[in-house]
Amino acid sequence: MPKKLYIKTHGCQMNEYDSEKMAKILKHEENFELTSSEHEADLIILNTCSIREKAQERVFHQIGRWRKIKDKKPNLKIAIGGCVASQEGDKIMKRAPEVDIVFGPQSLHRLPELYKKEQKVKKAQIDISFPKLEKFSHMPAPDKGEPSSFVSIMEGCNKYCSFCVVPMTRGHEVSRTVEDIVEEVKILSEKGTAEIHYLGQNVNNFKGTYKGEISSLAQLIELTGKIDGIERIRFTTSHPHEFKDDLVEAYANVPELVSHVHLPIQSGSDRILKLMRRRYDTDKYLKLIEKIKKIRPDMSFSSDFIVGFPGETEEDFQATMDIVEKVKFDASYSFIYSQRPNTPASQMEDDVSEEVKKNRLDLLQDRLNQIAFGYSRKLVGTTQNCLVMGLSKKDPGQLQARTICDRVVNFQADGYDLIGQLVNIQINEALPNSLRGVLNN
Ligand code: SAH
Ligand code: F3S
């Protein structure tokens, strides 16, 4: 009988991706099957994120809740992975004796080994090392292709933006080889994937080799566009500083590359951007957008924003609101600045009050939502090429698709044959978080 695995994931897309890989490797090597009930589990994994929240306390609270399950079921194993584990691994081992395994984002492929060892020696195991790229070579080949599949092309980040813990928790940038990535995409495409979403913290600095020479994201995208069955290509996250000309050119040369990009600006104030160590100013950012729009006038841009960075004045915040008006960003993410341990910004006084931070976040989010909803309303009456992802979450009698700008569209269909295909949908209603339409093939 398969053993049961329960995984709880905090945080980003990258963590979702890593959790999927954990499930896969444990299924492959230890015959674990996912369960949605923590009470049924033989192994519980918490994949943690330390980018923003008061992450550490959240982890100890969660462990406390699982302790009660373990009291009744002593054979239950608890494993803590992800960025909090990477930064606080030793502390977790000391403070939470019920934890059996601690592993970092770069050592998740060693989970089966750590699990076996813990059972054999009956002693908690920890591995939070950064073995270069070993993680990728240990992954079993994809066994199914979702209509849209994430493929990680690099790990870590060297940018050291002053507010960010990622370089500390995920280590330095290492890229996979182009051959390795293309091979994975070919397998996914044969199994039904139509859209590839390349993932990494800083994908435009991708430096994997191709035929022994250093390649680029642009070259990887061009090669991907040629793979049979791949109809759409996306990538996140790209840093405005390294969005090189060959990548801009890819919008002219690769029709599969979608006319939508997530390009985090963080702030509209040049003074704050400098303190954030982002390495671009608003002028450079706006010029980049112009360059891309020259090639693709219909291009849409989304962003991440941080409000309340140390020293952010009303004037700085207004500059952020102004850039939102200039670019008219599509659906974006915005966050309240939170001081992260060991980051350069943690040396600066976190001097914007919680109240001011919250007010600024509300103002920014209201405006971002208004603009995004405006784009949704503009789509009403048009026909959009959409990729059918699966069943609608709200109404299983309907299917769910995604537009090029990544909006969810629910529509009526007979059966499930269209899942994984690109279809034309006439949009006839815009709701705050989705669209409704009818097939128009
Ligand atoms: N690699 C990506 C970002 C990774 S973190 C990039 O280049 O932008 C995702 C987002 O979390 C960031 O874009 C930023 O907006 C937000 N973030 C990161 N650290 C933060 C902090 N200390 N406080 C608030 N938001 C933060
Ligand atoms: Fe973080 Fe900046 Fe890298 S936001 S992930 S240090 S590009």
Side-chain angles (χ1 to χ4, degrees):
M1 256 237 310
K3 291 170 278 194
K4 299 280 188 195
L5 170 67
Y6 177 85
I7 307 185
K8 191 175 182 90
T9 309
H10 290 167
C12 60
Q13 249 168 10
M14 190 69 93
N15 266 18
E16 297 282 348
Y17 178 84
D18 280 351
S19 293
E20 243 177 61
K21 297 283 170 202
M22 290 171 202
K24 203 160 163 192
I25 199 161
L26 282 166
K27 181 180 177 197
H28 202 252
E29 294 193 22
E30 286 294 315
N31 195 24
F32 269 103
E33 201 172 65
L34 278 174
T35 168
S36 55
S37 156
E38 48 205 347
H39 295 277
E40 224 182 71
D42 300 293
L43 171 62
I44 291 182
I45 299 178
L46 178 61
N47 190 7
T48 61
C49 171
S50 59
I51 283 196
R52 283 173 298 266
E53 326 90 88
K54 306 245 173 284
Q56 207 182 317
E57 281 319 300
R58 217 174 141 199
V59 170
F60 286 112
H61 279 134
Q62 183 60 71
I63 296 172
R65 285 194 286 274
W66 286 333
R67 181 184 305 137
K68 293 186 189 126
I69 306 182
K70 196 164 174 162
D71 283 345
K72 290 190 203 126
K73 194 176 171 184
N75 282 338
L76 168 67
K77 301 290 167 197
I78 298 177
I80 310 295
C83 289
V84 179
S86 166
Q87 268 198 315
E88 309 281 346
D90 294 324
K91 219 186 253 173
I92 296 174
M93 296 289 268
K94 279 202 197 100
R95 220 178 114 179
E98 56 280 25
V99 170
D100 304 286
I101 300 166
V102 172
F103 62 103
Q106 311 304 8
S107 53
L108 66 89
H109 57 284
R110 294 184 181 162
L111 254 175
E113 204 182 303
L114 292 166
Y115 174 78
K116 269 192 283 228
K117 187 141 183 226
E118 192 281 336
Q119 297 224 311
K120 195 165 156 209
V121 300
K122 306 221 163 355
K123 190 166 171 283
Q125 297 296 309
I126 176 165
D127 184 346
I128 46 174
S129 60
F130 291 163
K132 274 195 176 179
L133 284 183
E134 195 186 280
K135 171 173 158 184
F136 293 111
S137 51
H138 280 68
M139 285 302 160
D143 49 12
K144 68 177 186 275
E146 298 297 336
S148 174
S149 293
F150 288 114
V151 173
S152 172
I153 61 171
M154 63 191 293
E155 271 292 337
C157 184
N158 297 348
K159 280 275 157 302
Y160 291 94
C161 301
S162 65
F163 52 81
C164 184
V165 282
V166 169
M168 273 68 86
T169 58
R170 285 186 175 262
H172 276 181
E173 285 169 11
V174 249
S175 303
R176 293 171 73 187
T177 68
V178 170
E179 284 87 349
D180 193 18
I181 299 166
V182 165
E183 183 55 30
E184 182 173 344
V185 174
K186 281 186 180 155
I187 297 174
L188 284 166
S189 157
E190 278 158 20
K191 293 182 188 291
T193 290
E195 176 180 283
I196 290 296
H197 193 144
Y198 284 136
L199 268 190
Q201 296 295 341
N202 185 16
V203 287
N204 7 19
N205 204 27
F206 171 78
K207 287 204 174 86
T209 56
Y210 181 51
K211 297 184 178 162
E213 305 221 345
I214 302 241
S215 181
S216 64
L217 180 62
Q219 188 177 33
L220 174 64
I221 288 171
E222 288 194 17
L223 292 167
T224 310
K226 292 188 183 125
I227 298 173
D228 270 354
I230 298 304
E231 318 255 11
R232 279 182 175 183
I233 305 168
R234 299 182 186 277
F235 55 86
T236 41
T237 302
S238 50
H239 192 294
H241 173 62
E242 266 150 350
F243 211 106
K244 298 176 195 114
D245 283 347
D246 61 346
L247 187 55
V248 176
E249 282 303 308
Y251 285 94
N253 304 331
V254 187
E256 292 80 7
L257 188 55
V258 297
S259 291
H260 170 73
V261 70
H262 186 64
L263 194 61
I265 188 166
Q266 312 295 359
S267 167
S269 153
D270 289 338
R271 198 180 72 82
I272 296 291
L273 286 174
K274 210 169 197 168
L275 291 173
M276 287 177 164
R277 298 197 188 159
R278 289 289 288 182
R279 306 170 202 222
Y280 54 84
D281 57 16
T282 48
D283 189 50
K284 183 170 167 188
Y285 186 90
L286 292 171
K287 284 197 173 119
L288 172 61
I289 285 202
E290 257 169 53
K291 264 202 242 172
I292 305 174
K293 276 198 154 172
K294 234 185 196 155
I295 298 176
R296 296 265 185 103
D298 58 342
M299 190 80 186
S300 78
F301 298 88
S302 59
S303 179
D304 292 346
F305 296 89
I306 297 178
V307 297
F309 187 82
E312 187 188 67
T313 60
E314 265 315 306
E315 206 179 312
D316 293 318
F317 175 64
Q318 194 49 50
T320 297
M321 295 299 279
D322 291 347
I323 203 110
V324 168
E325 293 309 319
K326 270 198 195 126
V327 179
K328 292 269 175 351
F329 286 103
D330 203 349
S332 295
Y333 300 95
S334 36
F335 313 103
I336 284 182
Y337 169 74
S338 69
Q339 203 171 56
R340 308 313 301 148
N342 306 324
T343 56
S346 67
Q347 303 297 314
M348 301 159 89
E349 196 191 338
D350 188 3
D351 56 357
V352 182
S353 73
E354 272 315 295
E355 196 190 341
V356 169
K357 283 179 177 168
K358 282 199 182 104
N359 279 339
R360 290 182 185 166
L361 186 72
D362 286 347
L363 285 170
L364 176 63
Q365 289 189 333
D366 281 352
R367 188 61 192 130
L368 288 167
N369 289 342
Q370 254 175 18
I371 298 172
F373 193 43
Y375 282 119
S376 294
R377 275 203 308 256
K378 268 200 187 149
L379 293 178
V380 174
T382 66
T383 297
Q384 296 294 314
N385 193 244
C386 300
L387 177 62
V388 185
M389 310 291 279
L391 297 185
S392 154
K393 295 220 169 73
K394 289 203 185 112
D395 178 355
Q398 295 201 341
L399 294 184
Q400 187 176 91
R402 281 190 179 256
T403 63
I404 284 182
C405 57
D406 225 14
R407 280 177 169 66
V408 170
V409 187
N410 292 306
F411 68 104
Q412 198 67 46
D414 298 330
Y416 309 134
D417 294 357
L418 294 177
I419 294 176
Q421 291 190 31
L422 282 164
V423 296
N424 288 325
I425 298 181
Q426 163 144 358
I427 309 298
N428 48 27
E429 197 181 346
L431 303 168
N433 295 314
S434 63
L435 302 167
R436 284 206 186 121
V438 288
L439 259 184
N440 186 13
N441 263 354

